[in-house]
Amino acid sequence: MDGVPHPPRSLPRPLRPVLRAVTYTRWLHLFIAATLALLGAFIWGQDDLQPVVGYAVLALGPVPLLAVAAAVPATRVLETMQARLLLFPGPHGPEERQEPRLAHTPAVAWTDRGRVFVWLVLRMWVGLLTAVVGIQGLFLTVALTSAHHWHSFETEVVPLPGSWQGWYPPLVPLVLAALLAAGWAFGALIAVLAPRLLGPSAAERLAALEERTERLLEHNRLARELHDTIGHALTVAVVQAGAARAAGSPEFTERALGAIEDTGREALEDLERVLRLLRQEGAPPSRRPGLAEAGRLVASARGAGAAISAEIEGPLESVPGPVSREGYRIVQECLTNVLRHAGPVPVRVRIAASATGLELHVRNELPPAAPAPGPGGSGLRGIRERAALLGGEAVVGPADGEWRVRVTLPIR
């Protein structure tokens, strides 16, 4: 923290805690915890009780109230705020270390509330011990220095062995050092307990990990969609432009420009949708294109010069949303690969939907002058990943002079 003096590095290590602010903020944290028990002791009065019984009442009396407080979900948030503020120096402190992970949400599960209850009780007990040691240490310091000035002090507060002696004052530094060491030890103990009792539970850590994983998977899916959409649009545009230049026909050029315009408009719509999703403002996933719109993919590829024969079987509109959307992207990637690697060659597309599964089969002739595509590539890898994600299977490769992609997706 700016303006806060830090212990000099040249100071001996045992003396550094004396000048560290966190040592005293931890004391404050513990004294706050002991306040409830100390107030109860003053209100109830313990003069007529044996010391052991008095301390037991002091330590156990507030426990029912702490149990009620721990049952309130927001208690964990309040305790976490105090712990973060008073127990840990943070990155601005002289130790320059990060604070441990503490929960930021209310305790919903009863196991988490139980951990908060244990924290409240232990914090109160350690706070009481710190208060007792601190008060007795201060009284002992006064007794060693000037108890002979108050005759009742030595007999009623801190009785010293024998009568007051002149060699008692040199013992004061030892008492103060022991008092500081005990206070530092109690503060370090409560700082060790805080992450274990106020930190997120195993279930909460697992939920946070799953949430982060879901975000990463969603980002990967959106990146793949951008690759498929923009790659398809650019491939169609390049093939159309090259075919129009080679044809030299105004009529063909007009059709090519229209196909490029339609494909580019669809790509812009998909790009805008993905950007809205990334900004968390966008439409739900149901707005993504599905197999019911596979006709526009076929028309777009035909406009690029490919001779496509399409065979569609079964009720595509009844295919579940995730399967339909991923199937659309698989067909799109297949047609894009055909146009990119094989050019305007005959292509056969078969989409068959049934009550138990979806079958996608795309075949195209391999140009004799061009080698067959290898098994790598992000497009083919994306097809396999999409199929595996839905529990299906993708078989990709050349066979009988054709390049074949066969994908089966189960419908549950």
Side-chain angles (χ1 to χ4, degrees):
M1 215 181 300
D2 293 337
V4 177
H6 300 325
R9 295 294 182 181
S10 59
L11 193 68
R13 184 177 294 274
L15 298 180
R16 290 179 186 175
V18 179
L19 300 180
R20 289 176 55 208
V22 71
T23 300
Y24 304 98
T25 59
R26 288 175 177 175
W27 283 5
L28 176 61
H29 187 263
L30 292 172
F31 281 129
I32 293 174
T35 301
L36 180 62
L38 294 176
L39 286 177
F42 284 119
I43 294 175
W44 299 329
Q46 297 181 334
D47 295 337
D48 54 344
L49 298 178
Q50 295 294 328
V52 176
V53 177
Y55 282 121
V57 173
L58 189 66
L60 300 177
V63 169
L65 296 178
L66 297 180
V68 174
V72 179
T75 301
R76 184 170 72 166
V77 177
L78 298 177
E79 290 297 318
T80 299
M81 292 173 58
Q82 284 192 63
R84 187 177 293 109
L85 179 65
L86 299 177
L87 293 184
F88 304 105
H92 57 270
E95 295 180 345
E96 297 180 355
R97 64 176 183 179
Q98 279 188 320
E99 69 175 30
R101 288 191 60 188
L102 300 176
H104 298 273
T105 57
V108 178
W110 284 105
T111 54
D112 296 331
R113 298 179 187 181
R115 293 166 65 229
V116 173
F117 170 68
V118 174
W119 160 260
L120 292 175
V121 173
L122 291 181
R123 180 189 168 195
M124 181 191 69
W125 287 349
V126 177
L128 281 174
L129 188 58
T130 304
V132 170
V133 171
I135 293 173
Q136 291 297 324
L138 292 178
F139 284 161
L140 181 58
T141 301
V142 175
L144 290 174
T145 55
S146 56
H148 62 289
H149 292 298
W150 298 283
H151 300 290
S152 61
F153 186 92
E154 184 177 347
T155 59
E156 296 181 7
V157 181
V158 182
L160 295 175
S163 59
W164 188 88
Q165 303 292 332
W167 54 268
Y168 282 165
L171 297 178
V172 171
L174 296 179
V175 174
L176 292 179
L179 181 61
L180 290 172
W184 175 86
F186 293 144
L189 174 62
I190 203 66
V192 170
L193 293 175
R196 290 166 172 77
L197 297 175
L198 293 181
S201 63
E204 290 173 323
R205 289 195 298 269
L206 180 60
L209 178 61
E210 290 178 349
E211 183 180 354
R212 288 195 298 270
T213 303
E214 287 296 327
R215 285 200 300 267
L216 289 175
L217 290 176
E218 179 68 10
H219 289 170
N220 289 338
R221 183 187 64 79
L222 293 176
R224 188 184 295 119
E225 284 200 16
L226 280 178
H227 167 269
D228 295 344
T229 301
I230 304 302
H232 177 77
L234 291 177
T235 300
V236 170
V238 170
V239 173
Q240 290 275 15
R245 176 183 295 175
S249 169
E251 182 179 354
F252 185 86
T253 301
E254 184 68 23
R255 290 200 309 270
L257 290 175
I260 292 174
E261 181 182 5
D262 293 338
T263 304
R265 184 181 297 109
E266 293 168 2
L268 288 175
E269 291 176 358
D270 282 345
L271 177 61
E272 183 180 358
R273 177 184 58 80
V274 171
L275 292 178
R276 284 201 305 267
L277 287 174
L278 288 174
R279 298 190 193 103
Q280 298 182 353
E281 303 171 356
S286 59
R287 289 276 303 275
R288 293 166 55 200
L291 282 176
E293 304 173 53
R296 89 177 180 184
L297 288 177
V298 174
S300 176
R302 282 174 178 163
I308 298 180
S309 61
E311 180 182 351
I312 299 178
E313 300 177 1
L316 296 183
E317 63 278 358
S318 63
V319 177
V323 178
S324 179
R325 293 190 289 268
E326 296 304 320
Y328 176 93
R329 293 303 182 190
I330 290 173
V331 174
Q332 183 184 57
E333 181 62 31
C334 290
L335 295 179
T336 301
N337 287 339
V338 171
L339 295 173
R340 181 180 298 160
H341 300 293
V345 298
V347 184
R348 283 178 286 180
V349 178
R350 183 173 182 267
I351 303 174
S354 65
T356 59
L358 175 69
E359 181 180 335
L360 307 174
H361 199 183
V362 180
R363 297 181 291 173
N364 64 275
E365 295 182 4
L366 289 174
S378 59
L380 299 181
R381 183 170 61 249
I383 291 175
R384 295 189 181 95
E385 290 176 354
R386 291 178 189 275
L389 186 63
L390 295 173
E393 183 182 8
V395 179
V396 180
D400 300 330
E402 293 182 327
W403 181 261
R404 297 181 179 181
V405 177
R406 184 185 182 90
V407 178
T408 56
L409 303 176
I411 296 178
R412 298 184 181 91

